[in-house]
């Protein structure tokens, strides 16, 4: 394992970096989208204005004196308050921005906006979209394929569904000036067409940990740490249904955020909405949705929402009570880009740093399913890195790390 001192923490201020673009471009665009999504009161508009000024031109400031979690964030941010946002670690700054955004709109109350999901309009629009209809209909085609081929397609669908991350599309533009909605990869993976290539593919190792038909002895539990709702969570649920239906898992625990975070991150309400969307569909999608609904009712599918999933720390620092949940599981599947950064550490690792060494802290076998949308990447072969950098064509050799056009399946057994 590489020494931590050899890999600097990712900070927000490096010119031309992905982290800087998030703070300088994506967050301001998000504030404007949130501003337009609800008829906020003048007080809320002033709070959003203040957050925009602070996060782009000012310094990091503590939560207000009445915030219910002020003590925790005072401890977590003691060394960062009073510093420019661009001088603090990216993982911490990004998480704190979303906590302040919730504060600005009165999510934690008291008041009429308490508990209102400020990202709900974006999530609902996506679920109602025709792309979801097309992707659910593709399950009928998959149903006629051999079992092994279906399993591979469900895994690919879950991975490439990560391209539908709503936060990834905020402020992003395609080369022709249009908005990139991330639809390409997820649609390809679920329609039977060839998906884009993976920079690392440990799919065989993943399936070897979950043989079909069950096993004698203790129940085999699979944990899934969710990332985004909507068009990513639906294929995650389809994969979970396959694990239960095929006997690859006796029960599944799905971990979501306890409250809205990172634009489209999944909450319990999103799980219900997506499961209902499946159950109300026709064909294979409807059958999968009804099985999932029943599995939640009889306990084979449990949904949990630990507060640590909204904390600004890598998974190496997870509390003991959460660590015990993963210990002894057959496999934990970690979804998405942010969870990958938290799993391996949000540092500027060499891309050839072994994945197994950086995830040795995680209790039990772990698999990462990820579409590449940030700079952090490990576990690659030197020849793969050379090929990707040569083909990048951006002058830096790094565009493939953040474009959302590449993905990976990495497993530590």
């Amino acid at each position: 394992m590489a020494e931590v001192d050899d890999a600097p923490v990712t900070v927000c201020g490096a010119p031309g970096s992905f982290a800087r673009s998030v703070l300088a471009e994506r967050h301001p665009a998000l504030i404007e989208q949130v501003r337009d999504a609800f008829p906020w009161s003048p007080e809320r508009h002033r709070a959003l204005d203040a957050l925009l000024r602070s996060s782009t031109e000012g310094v990091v400031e503590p939560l207000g004196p009445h915030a219910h979690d002020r003590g925790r964030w005072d401890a977590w941010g003691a060394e960062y308050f009073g510093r420019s946002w661009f001088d603090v670690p990216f993982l911490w700054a990004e998480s704190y921005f979303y906590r302040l955004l919730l504060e600005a709109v009165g999510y934690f109350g008291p008041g009429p906006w308490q508990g209102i999901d400020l990202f709900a309009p974006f999530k609902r629009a996506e679920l109602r979209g025709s792309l979801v209809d097309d992707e659910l209909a593709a399950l009928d085609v998959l149903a006629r394929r051999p079992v092994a081929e279906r399993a591979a397609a469900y895994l690919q669908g879950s991975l490439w569904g990560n391209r539908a991350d709503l936060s990834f599309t905020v402020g992003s533009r395609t080369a022709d000036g249009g908005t990139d909605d991330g639809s390409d990869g997820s649609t390809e993976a679920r329609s039977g067409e060839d998906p884009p290539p993976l920079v690392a593919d440990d799919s065989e190792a993943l399936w070897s940990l979950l043989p079909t038909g069950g096993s004698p002895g203790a129940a085999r539990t699979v944990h899934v740490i969710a990332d985004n709702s909507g068009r990513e969570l639906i294929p995650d649920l389809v994969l979970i249904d396959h694990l239960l239906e095929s006997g690859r898992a006796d029960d599944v625990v799905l971990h979501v955020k306890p409250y809205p975070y990172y634009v489209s991150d999944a909450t319990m309400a999103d799980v219900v909405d997506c499961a209902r969307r499946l159950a109300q569909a026709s064909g294979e999608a409807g059958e999968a949705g009804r099985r999932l609904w029943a599995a939640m009712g009889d306990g084979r599918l449990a949904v949990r929402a630990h507060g640590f999933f909204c904390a600004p720390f890598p998974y190496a620092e997870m509390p003991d009570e959460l660590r015990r949940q993963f210990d002894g599981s057959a496999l934990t599947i970690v979804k998405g880009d942010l969870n990958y950064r938290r799993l391996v550490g949000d540092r500027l690792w060499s891309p050839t740093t072994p994945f197994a060494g950086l995830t040795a802290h995680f209790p039990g076998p772990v698999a990462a399913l990820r579409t590449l949308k940030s700079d952090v990447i490990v576990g690659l072969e030197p020849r793969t890195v050379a090929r990707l950098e040569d083909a990048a064509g951006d002058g830096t050799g790094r565009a493939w790390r953040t474009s959302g056009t590449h993905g990976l399946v990495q497993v530590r057994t």
Side-chain angles (χ1 to χ4, degrees), residues 22-244:
V22 169
L23 260 70
E25 301 169 18
R26 186 179 298 182
H27 286 177
L30 175 59
I31 290 174
E32 293 308 312
Q33 288 190 1
V34 168
R35 184 195 305 276
D36 294 339
F38 288 94
W40 305 112
S41 67
E43 177 187 6
R44 298 299 156 210
H45 279 287
R46 288 192 294 271
L48 289 169
D49 289 341
L51 177 58
L52 178 59
R53 289 192 301 271
S54 169
S55 61
T56 56
E57 304 171 8
V59 297
V60 182
E61 299 175 354
L63 287 167
H66 302 297
H68 72 284
D69 53 352
R70 163 108 188 222
R72 287 200 300 272
W73 280 101
D74 278 355
W76 295 345
E79 61 183 302
Y80 306 130
F81 294 135
R83 294 167 59 180
S84 166
W85 283 80
F86 295 93
D87 293 336
V88 303
F90 180 36
L91 182 64
W92 191 94
E94 198 174 16
S95 182
Y96 191 52
F97 170 83
Y98 282 98
R99 174 61 187 87
L100 290 177
L101 185 58
L102 290 174
E103 193 73 12
V105 300
Y107 179 85
F108 294 107
W113 294 104
Q114 185 178 36
I116 299 294
D117 185 346
L118 68 166
F119 307 124
F122 316 134
K123 296 175 180 178
R124 290 169 185 158
E126 185 182 56
L127 272 185
R128 290 194 299 263
S130 61
L131 283 172
V132 174
D133 294 327
D134 294 341
E135 291 163 350
L136 295 185
L139 295 176
D140 293 331
V141 178
L142 278 178
R144 299 190 290 270
R145 305 285 180 86
V147 173
E149 190 173 335
R150 291 204 307 271
Y154 297 146
L155 187 67
Q156 289 278 327
S158 179
L159 188 161
W160 289 112
N162 186 226
R163 287 188 77 172
D165 173 4
L166 290 171
S167 69
F168 187 56
T169 68
V170 171
S172 66
R173 311 296 292 181
T174 61
D176 62 1
T179 300
D180 179 2
D181 68 356
S183 63
D184 298 345
S186 55
T187 303
E188 288 169 349
R190 287 186 290 265
S191 65
E193 301 175 16
D194 291 335
L198 303 180
V199 300
D201 187 2
D202 295 339
S203 299
E204 289 188 11
L206 185 153
W207 293 123
S208 72
L209 293 168
L210 304 173
T212 58
S215 59
R220 187 167 42 177
T221 301
V222 173
H223 291 257
V224 178
I225 302 179
D227 190 25
N228 302 300
S229 60
R231 288 179 52 236
E232 179 173 359
L233 185 57
I234 284 178
D236 291 346
L237 291 174
V238 170
L239 176 62
I240 288 170
D241 173 66
H242 167 73
L243 297 179
L244 293 171

Side-chain angles (χ1 to χ4, degrees), residues 206 209-210 221-226 239 243 252-255 309 315 318 322-335 339 343 355 359 362-369 409-413:
L206 185 153
L209 293 168
L210 304 173
T221 301
V222 173
H223 291 257
V224 178
I225 302 179
L239 176 62
L243 297 179
V252 174
V253 180
L254 177 62
H255 298 268
F309 291 114
Y315 286 133
M318 76 172 73
L322 184 58
R323 180 175 296 276
R324 285 192 292 269
Q325 294 186 37
F326 299 118
D327 193 23
S329 64
L331 177 66
T332 297
I333 298 174
V334 176
K335 281 297 311 294
N339 281 324
L343 178 64
F355 177 78
T359 58
F362 200 91
V366 62
L369 303 186
V409 180
Q410 289 179 321
V411 176
R412 193 217 74 217
T413 59

Side-chain angles (χ1 to χ4, degrees), residues 309-399:
F309 291 114
C310 290
F313 302 118
Y315 286 133
E317 299 181 34
M318 76 172 73
D320 289 342
E321 70 269 16
L322 184 58
R323 180 175 296 276
R324 285 192 292 269
Q325 294 186 37
F326 299 118
D327 193 23
S329 64
L331 177 66
T332 297
I333 298 174
V334 176
K335 281 297 311 294
D337 200 77
L338 173 63
N339 281 324
Y340 187 88
R341 289 161 52 197
R342 299 185 73 184
L343 178 64
V344 303
D346 199 21
R347 292 175 174 270
L348 301 180
W349 304 108
S350 164
T352 59
T353 305
F355 177 78
L358 294 180
T359 58
H361 64 85
F362 200 91
V366 62
L369 303 186
R370 175 205 182 195
T371 301
L372 276 60
K373 295 180 293 188
S374 66
D375 287 313
V376 177
I377 182 70
V378 299
L380 301 189
E381 296 291 335
R383 62 180 178 275
T384 300
V385 177
R387 173 177 56 81
L388 291 166
E389 291 179 347
D390 288 344
D394 65 338
T396 68
R398 300 176 67 89

